[in-house]
Amino acid sequence: MHGWIILDKPLGLGSTQGVSAVKRALRAGGYAKAKVGHGGTLDPLATGVLPIAVGEATKLAGRMLDASKEYVFTIRFGVQTDTLDLEGKEIASSDVRPTMAALEAVLARFTGPIEQVPPAYSALKVGGERAYDLARAGEELVLATRSVTVHSLCSSPARGRWRAEGVTEGEDTLTCAFPPPPSAFGSHLPLAGEEISEVTLAAHVSKGTYIRSLARDIARALGTVGHVTMLRRTRAGPFGLDTAISLDKLDEMANGRALEDIILPLRAGLDDIPALPLSPDQAGALRQGRVMVGIVVDDGQYFAMLDDVPVALVEVSGREARVVRGFNL
């Protein structure tokens, strides 16, 4: 069992609990013991795509952490909590409710390269300790500002106008680069001048972006405060909800000894990297960690394969291929 199991993480479950669920499924199905890890933390109050790496795929989990992510999230205006979501206690309030037109006017300010301060309740380490542990202990935290990129941000498929890259249309007719299904936004689409108490947005963001911080800053730009009441990850790197399964489905497949039917191949985590076919001799050289010379391909990373068997992730430079990650398959 080497590859990816993509969970549609339910509300209340932590990422490490998702890893434990897959480990239990492997045991329940009588599979050989394997390493298991996740490809990106998802808060317990968030739902959606949680890639779980099994076996040799755990060697690629770090790449998944670096991948961009897509989210649908709801901001409720008027109250800010210490955790910036439903879990926390109220620390600020405002009677100001923005209009839909005002919201859409500020979205461009939060698209592209931006600076943001992570939430105090986050897994970042401060002096060797988790920020959320220090915050829960009552310490006042001022986390360092970080640079992130919001590739696209829109308030609905119909009204999504702003994206940072790949722009090929006129400024007034841009659509959201990665829109979720219209049903994600609810049935009511507010009029431009209508005041709103909450709004659902879709965002495609770089690694390290905190949606809770994005929601806080959008609310502040609108002259009010706010917090996240719903957060759903719709994509992590190459993996979307179309390949995600529920915990019930995971248990069902494990009990039927059919996890092979739902595990995605190792290659699925590297869909943006071209394959490099190998001869048996070349595969043997890479498995021994040797440099492979005379490779007539462009410089860059490749997924080296012997027929259908992954051998290594390699870096080609100057017609020489060096192993970045080798797979024991």
Side-chain angles (χ1 to χ4, degrees):
M1 295 292 286
H2 302 282
W4 302 89
I5 293 177
I6 314 304
L7 293 183
D8 185 348
K9 190 190 81 65
L11 199 65
L13 190 80
S15 297
T16 54
Q17 291 172 297
V19 169
S20 297
V22 171
K23 288 181 177 179
R24 286 195 302 271
L26 290 171
R27 289 196 300 270
Y31 294 91
K33 187 175 181 181
K35 290 183 179 180
V36 181
H38 65 75
T41 302
L42 200 55
D43 292 342
L45 290 184
T47 66
V49 175
L50 179 63
I52 304 292
V54 180
E56 290 296 283
T58 56
K59 295 178 178 178
L60 301 174
R63 288 182 56 85
M64 200 56 54
L65 299 177
D66 291 339
S68 65
K69 313 290 192 303
E70 296 171 31
Y71 297 91
V72 175
F73 63 103
T74 299
I75 310 172
R76 182 170 298 161
F77 298 111
V79 171
Q80 182 173 321
T81 66
D82 54 0
T83 60
L84 303 180
D85 60 20
L86 282 172
E87 189 178 32
K89 62 182 180 181
E90 180 179 329
I91 58 171
S93 63
S94 172
D95 293 330
V96 175
R97 299 294 181 270
T99 64
M100 197 66 192
L103 170 82
E104 292 179 349
V106 304
L107 292 187
R109 291 164 52 182
F110 296 95
T111 309
I114 65 170
E115 301 289 315
Q116 70 170 199
V117 177
Y121 286 82
S122 65
L124 294 176
K125 286 193 174 182
V126 179
E129 296 190 58
R130 297 291 184 186
Y132 54 66
D133 288 331
L134 298 174
R136 286 169 183 152
E139 292 196 28
E140 291 288 333
L141 295 179
V142 180
L143 298 180
T145 299
R146 58 168 54 189
S147 299
V148 298
T149 300
V150 178
H151 300 295
S152 70
L153 180 64
C154 63
S155 58
S156 77
R159 285 180 166 154
R161 294 179 181 173
W162 308 105
R163 64 179 174 185
E165 57 188 12
V167 176
T168 57
E169 303 172 73
E171 183 176 298
D172 294 333
T173 59
L174 286 180
T175 56
C176 189
F178 293 90
S183 59
F185 296 92
S187 58
H188 176 62
L189 192 62
L191 300 174
E194 182 179 345
E195 289 190 351
I196 52 176
S197 58
E198 62 179 36
V199 67
T200 298
L201 304 175
H204 174 211
V205 300
S206 69
K207 71 169 184 175
T209 304
Y210 281 91
I211 297 297
R212 287 175 291 151
S213 293
L214 184 62
R216 173 199 63 203
D217 296 342
I218 289 172
R220 286 177 177 174
L222 291 166
T224 185
V225 294
H227 65 284
V228 171
T229 60
M230 183 277 291
L231 177 60
R232 183 158 175 75
R233 188 155 70 190
T234 56
R235 180 166 291 276
F239 302 122
L241 286 171
D242 57 329
T243 56
I245 62 168
S246 67
L247 289 181
D248 288 343
K249 183 67 172 179
L250 176 69
D251 291 341
E252 175 190 332
M253 301 303 283
N255 292 331
R257 289 190 56 82
L259 289 180
E260 295 91 339
D261 295 340
I262 59 170
I263 192 167
L264 301 178
L266 205 68
R267 179 84 172 87
L270 298 172
D271 71 339
D272 59 331
I273 295 180
L276 179 65
L278 302 174
S279 69
D281 288 344
Q282 289 173 324
L286 288 181
R287 284 172 174 148
Q288 293 173 10
R290 300 207 303 255
V291 175
M292 199 165 64
V293 299
I295 305 302
V296 188
V297 295
D298 294 335
D299 288 355
Q301 289 195 338
Y302 290 84
F303 197 57
M305 305 275 293
L306 176 60
D307 298 324
D308 293 329
V309 178
V311 174
L313 175 65
V314 300
E315 183 80 33
V316 176
S317 178
R319 302 182 70 173
E320 294 184 346
R322 287 176 169 79
V323 175
V324 177
R325 289 284 186 274
F327 306 118
N328 297 318
L329 298 173

